[in-house]
Amino acid sequence: MERTDGIPLGSITELLGLPGTGKTQICLQLCAAVQVPEALGGLNAKALYIDTNTNFVLKRFTEILSATLTKCHKLLEECNMSEEEALKNVHYVGAFGLEKFCAFMYQLPKFLAEENNIRLIIIDSIAFPFKDGITAKQRTGLLFRQMAELQRLAVERQIAVVLTNEMSTRVGLSSGAVVGALGDAWAHRCNTRLLLSAPDDPAGDRLALLLKSNISPEAVAPFKITSDGIRDVN
């Protein structure tokens, strides 16, 4: 299976974590990485960023994108993409609220047919539109139908789909346990699941734990968030 910067193409990857653990930062980094020329191991492609919770910050993305382009220009003389061109390669959609989110997801197949070379789809976050105004049964049915269609599009078009998900507290037998939102059944819908954590010490390393993968064993990797983006500390 092909990958883009470690994220599998043709499948759905979920980034789990509490606020401030780096979920959105990784998504922004991927939107820059997907544009890296093939000669440098990238896809020379475009991204679609579906923002459901006003997480996308243009200033921060521009910082990450600028650093990525600088590295590309240093490593590859024929890489002459400008920052303006690179910004246009990221299609931003503000899908705030359940109605707008569902409306865009319904139009997604048409959107992908009209926009060439999109190889990365970000949904940040998948849980937020379903928080209010819908029963658990309605949410499950609607969400699973949408994800089935998203999985089909990912496979057919060889797109890497990355979803961020929040954490919630489960009561009952495992009282007080912090788990991923949307329930246990949802966990089976994603091909890959990564749990992110942040240290109490701001200077410490963050951790990414691979909880589930069809192609890799369980593993953990430290990383830092810098002004230039995500940095592996290994």
Side-chain angles (χ1 to χ4, degrees):
M1 183 178 291
E2 291 183 84
R3 303 188 188 187
T4 170
D5 201 27
I7 302 296
L9 296 172
S11 68
I12 298 176
T13 297
E14 178 187 35
L15 302 180
L16 280 162
L18 294 169
T21 51
K23 301 185 298 296
T24 296
Q25 297 294 313
I26 291 178
C27 290
L28 296 177
Q29 184 77 59
L30 290 172
C31 286
V34 75
Q35 301 187 53
V36 170
E38 293 181 6
L40 296 177
L43 293 174
N44 192 30
K46 301 177 182 179
L48 168 63
Y49 200 110
I50 304 172
D51 186 2
T52 68
N53 191 23
T54 64
N55 288 328
F56 185 94
V57 177
L58 180 59
K59 182 177 183 297
R60 177 58 179 148
F61 177 59
T62 301
E63 291 174 348
I64 294 172
L65 184 62
S66 177
T68 300
L69 290 175
T70 298
K71 292 176 184 177
C72 289
H73 293 156
K74 288 180 178 179
L75 294 171
L76 192 67
E77 288 186 7
E78 54 266 37
C79 178
N80 54 11
M81 181 184 295
S82 69
E83 187 175 297
E84 183 179 359
E85 291 173 318
L87 284 170
K88 290 180 180 178
N89 286 336
V90 178
H91 299 273
Y92 173 84
V93 175
F96 308 124
L98 182 60
E99 184 176 346
K100 289 184 178 179
F101 177 73
C102 291
F104 182 76
M105 293 301 291
Y106 180 78
Q107 294 292 327
L108 184 58
K110 180 181 179 182
F111 181 90
L112 294 176
E114 294 174 350
E115 294 292 341
N116 293 325
N117 203 26
I118 289 180
R119 305 296 299 280
L120 172 68
I121 295 175
I122 302 288
I123 301 180
D124 186 15
S125 80
I126 187 61
F128 197 78
F130 297 91
K131 277 192 168 184
D132 301 309
I134 187 171
T135 67
K137 184 177 180 180
Q138 290 172 328
R139 180 189 70 188
T140 299
L142 180 58
L143 184 59
F144 280 25
R145 285 193 298 272
Q146 290 178 343
M147 291 306 103
E149 176 68 1
L150 191 58
Q151 180 73 72
R152 182 187 69 82
L153 291 169
V155 172
E156 286 185 359
R157 295 181 173 275
Q158 280 301 287
I159 294 172
V161 177
V162 177
L163 318 173
T164 69
N165 193 6
E166 302 163 19
M167 307 297 286
S168 61
T169 302
R170 172 182 290 168
V171 296
L173 294 178
S174 53
S175 180
V178 179
V179 297
L182 302 177
D184 292 333
W186 164 257
H188 300 293
R189 306 298 297 185
C190 300
N191 307 103
T192 304
R193 304 187 85 205
L194 278 168
L195 176 63
L196 308 182
S197 64
D200 294 331
D201 180 3
D205 296 337
R206 298 164 187 265
L207 296 176
L209 172 63
L210 183 62
L211 296 176
K212 173 187 175 184
S213 173
N214 298 330
I215 57 177
S216 300
E218 185 174 296
V220 62
F223 68 97
K224 287 185 180 294
I225 297 177
T226 71
S227 59
D228 293 341
I230 303 295
R231 181 167 63 86
D232 185 351
V233 299
N234 282 331

